[in-house]
Amino acid sequence: MARLGTETAFEVLVKARALEAKGRDIVHLEIGEPDFDTPDNIIEAACDALHDGFTHYGPSAGMPQLRETIAQYVSATRQIEVVPEEVVVVPGGKPIIFFTILALVEEGDEVIYPNPGFPIYESMINFLGATAVPIRLREEMDFRLDPAELGGLINERTKLIILNSPQNPTGGVLTKTDLEEVARAIGNRDIMVLTDEIYSRLIFEGEHHSIMSLPGMKDRCILLDGFSKTYAMTGWRMGYGVMRADLAAHISRLMTNSNSCTASFTQVAGIEALRGPQGSVDEMCAKFKQRRDVMVAGLNQVTGFSCRSPKGAFYVFPNIRETGWQSKKLADILLEEAGVAALSGTAFGDFGEGYLRFSVANSIENIEKALDRVGGWVKNNL
Ligand SMILES: Cc1ncc(COP(=O)(O)O)c(C=O)c1O
C-alpha cells in the first residue's frame, strides 16, 4: 500500500474548506472540474430513467444501447470503425486507467507516462511493482512530448505507453505529426498505448487528434474518454474505454469483480448526452477559452511568473522559477496568506517543479480576484 500515490487536488480542497470553515474567503482554483451544471436535457433523461425503473443492476460492460451509442460516437470522432463489443462503460474515466494497468502490466515491466501528468498513472504503475518511466513534457515545446525522446525510452521491457492530450496539468495538445512520430517510434513492437482523451472536446486552437485514428494503431490502443469534463458530469461517475474486444472482455470481468456495473440510470442519461444537443459543450469550451485568456494575461503581469497559453483542457501551468520559491511552498503560502487555492506542479510528478497549476473552471470575477490576490501577495513578499 505504501507504493500507492494520490491526487493532491482532493487534499488541497479539504485544506481550503477547513480554512473556509474558520471564516476565510478562498478562491478555488485547485480542483479539476467544470463549474457549470450538467445540461438540463441530461438531468431530465436521468430523472425519467429513475421513474422508468432503471434502478437495477445492468451488464458489467455497460448497457447495450449506451455501448452502441459510444461505438458510433467514437467511430465518428476518431474516424475508425468501433463496434459495441469494443466498448466498456465504467464509473468515470479513472477506472480505465486502473483496470488497464492492472490488466496489462506486471512486476518488472516498464510503463512510459507523461510527467508532469495526471498523478494516477504513476501511482498505479508503482502500485503494481512496475517501473514508471517518465517522459518529460517541456515548456519550450508547449508541453508536448518529444517523440524522439520517447523513442529513446522504449526498450524490450516497455509494456505500455500512456498519452494524454489535451493534457492535465499543462493544457498541452499533441499534433497529428507528433502522434505519427510516436506511432513510428513504437513500430512493430508489442507495446500497448493507453490514450487518455478525457479532454478531447475542450480544445481552443486546432482540432483533437487521436493516435487511435492512425493506420495500424487501433488494436494497440485503449482509448479513455468519458462524460465528466465534456458534459460537466464529474459527480455522476461515468466514463468508458474502447479497446480490442478480447481485452474489453477482461476489463469487463474486472468490472464484475469490482463495481458489478455502472449505475443504470446514469447510463440512460449518457445516451442523451451523446445523442442530444451539443450546444452546451461548445458554450462551455468558449467560456473556458475566455477565462484562459484572462488568467494567462493576468499571470504574465505577476513578477516572477510566466505563463504560456494552453491549447486545451481547463488549466494554466505558469512557470514560477523566477520567484525563487519551490512550487509546493508557494502553493501552500498562496492558500494560507492570499486565499487562493492552486496546486503545486509537483503534484503532477517531479518534472512539475517550478510550476503551479491553476484551474480556470471558475468565473471571470473569481479569476480576477485570484489574480489580484496573487499579484498583491507577490508584490508584498518577494
Ligand atoms: C487526464 C485525466 N484523466 C482522467 C481523469 C478522470 O476523470 P473522471 O473524473 O471521469 O474519472 C481526469 C480527471 O481529472 C484527468 O484529468
Side-chain angles (χ1 to χ4, degrees):
M1 289 312 295
R3 294 203 297 248
L4 194 65
T6 189
E7 199 180 341
T8 313
F10 290 100
E11 287 168 11
V12 175
L13 180 66
V14 168
K15 233 164 129 185
R17 291 257 156 87
L19 288 171
E20 282 173 324
K22 285 192 205 149
R24 294 280 310 281
D25 178 58
I26 307 291
V27 186
H28 288 274
L29 302 181
E30 75 278 40
I31 199 94
E33 66 171 345
D35 53 319
F36 301 102
D37 292 328
T38 305
D40 279 342
N41 61 313
I42 302 173
I43 292 180
E44 293 294 326
C47 293
D48 289 349
L50 279 167
H51 289 301
D52 290 345
F54 285 94
T55 51
H56 299 274
Y57 290 131
S60 293
M63 278 171 43
Q65 303 90 318
L66 178 59
R67 292 174 83 193
E68 171 78 47
T69 304
I70 291 168
Q72 286 168 3
Y73 171 77
V74 173
S75 299
T77 50
R78 273 68 173 196
Q79 302 89 41
I80 44 174
E81 205 176 310
V82 173
V83 295
E85 294 69 32
E86 295 169 325
V87 176
V88 186
V89 181
V90 292
K94 235 180 205 173
I96 290 296
I97 302 173
F98 195 96
F99 293 151
T100 297
I101 298 178
L102 204 56
L104 295 180
V105 176
E106 287 170 29
E107 222 167 305
D109 289 340
E110 293 191 4
V111 181
I112 303 175
Y113 72 103
N115 189 328
F118 191 49
I120 300 308
Y121 309 139
E122 190 179 329
S123 164
M124 276 306 296
I125 300 164
N126 289 335
F127 186 53
L128 288 172
T131 305
V133 180
I135 169 85
R136 186 175 195 153
L137 304 186
R138 294 170 200 281
E139 184 181 354
E140 55 276 22
M141 287 191 66
D142 277 335
F143 297 109
R144 290 159 32 240
L145 59 79
D146 177 348
E149 201 172 335
L150 177 76
L153 297 174
I154 295 175
N155 63 40
E156 67 286 354
R157 287 183 301 281
T158 309
K159 183 61 85 59
L160 180 71
I161 296 174
I162 302 177
L163 302 177
N164 173 213
S165 175
Q167 212 247 352
N168 176 11
T170 66
V173 170
L174 295 172
T175 64
K176 189 162 180 232
T177 311
D178 292 335
L179 295 170
E180 283 165 351
E181 287 176 21
V182 169
R184 217 168 296 137
I186 295 170
N188 286 327
R189 278 181 267 230
D190 194 13
I191 294 173
M192 296 293 281
V193 177
L194 170 60
T195 174
D196 183 343
E197 304 178 20
I198 195 99
Y199 298 98
S200 59
R201 298 280 291 278
L202 299 173
I203 291 254
F204 309 128
E205 276 122 46
E207 51 184 320
H208 176 67
H209 294 284
S210 172
I211 191 161
M212 212 174 189
S213 313
L214 299 180
M217 287 307 290
K218 189 190 150 201
D219 281 355
R220 299 172 167 274
C221 288
I222 297 99
L223 166 74
L224 179 164
D225 205 339
F227 297 83
S228 300
K229 319 287 175 175
T230 306
Y231 299 103
M233 291 173 72
T234 46
W236 293 63
R237 307 314 299 141
M238 185 164 47
Y240 53 88
V242 177
M243 66 207 80
R244 271 176 9 208
D246 59 335
L247 182 55
H250 292 309
I251 303 283
S252 300
R253 270 191 310 134
L254 284 170
M255 270 297 287
T256 308
N257 276 270
S258 54
N259 298 274
S260 292
C261 64
T262 306
S264 300
F265 57 95
T266 60
Q267 295 190 57
V268 177
I271 298 173
E272 171 63 22
L274 290 174
R275 292 212 170 136
Q278 301 295 303
S280 60
V281 183
D282 300 331
E283 264 168 49
M284 189 169 74
C285 191
K287 290 228 169 83
F288 285 142
K289 186 175 181 192
Q290 268 176 355
R291 296 160 175 193
R292 170 203 70 170
D293 291 342
V294 172
M295 192 72 183
V296 169
L299 287 175
N300 279 322
Q301 299 297 313
V302 178
T303 310
F305 282 55
S306 76
C307 189
R308 288 189 177 230
S309 191
K311 293 189 168 57
F314 42 70
Y315 310 106
V316 300
F317 203 63
N319 182 325
I320 51 93
R321 286 209 181 94
E322 298 272 297
T323 63
W325 279 65
Q326 280 185 332
S327 298
K328 170 87 170 63
K329 287 200 169 133
L330 188 59
D332 286 347
I333 205 155
L334 286 177
L335 174 60
E336 273 149 35
E337 296 189 1
V340 176
L343 297 186
S344 164
T346 51
F348 303 92
D350 291 346
F351 294 134
E353 183 55 75
Y355 299 90
L356 294 181
R357 189 194 79 171
F358 293 91
S359 159
V360 294
N362 208 324
S363 63
I364 297 250
E365 193 191 347
N366 279 336
I367 287 173
E368 282 172 344
K369 197 200 261 186
L371 285 167
D372 278 349
R373 290 181 179 186
V374 172
W377 186 89
V378 167
K379 208 172 263 169
N380 293 333
N381 294 282
L382 298 185

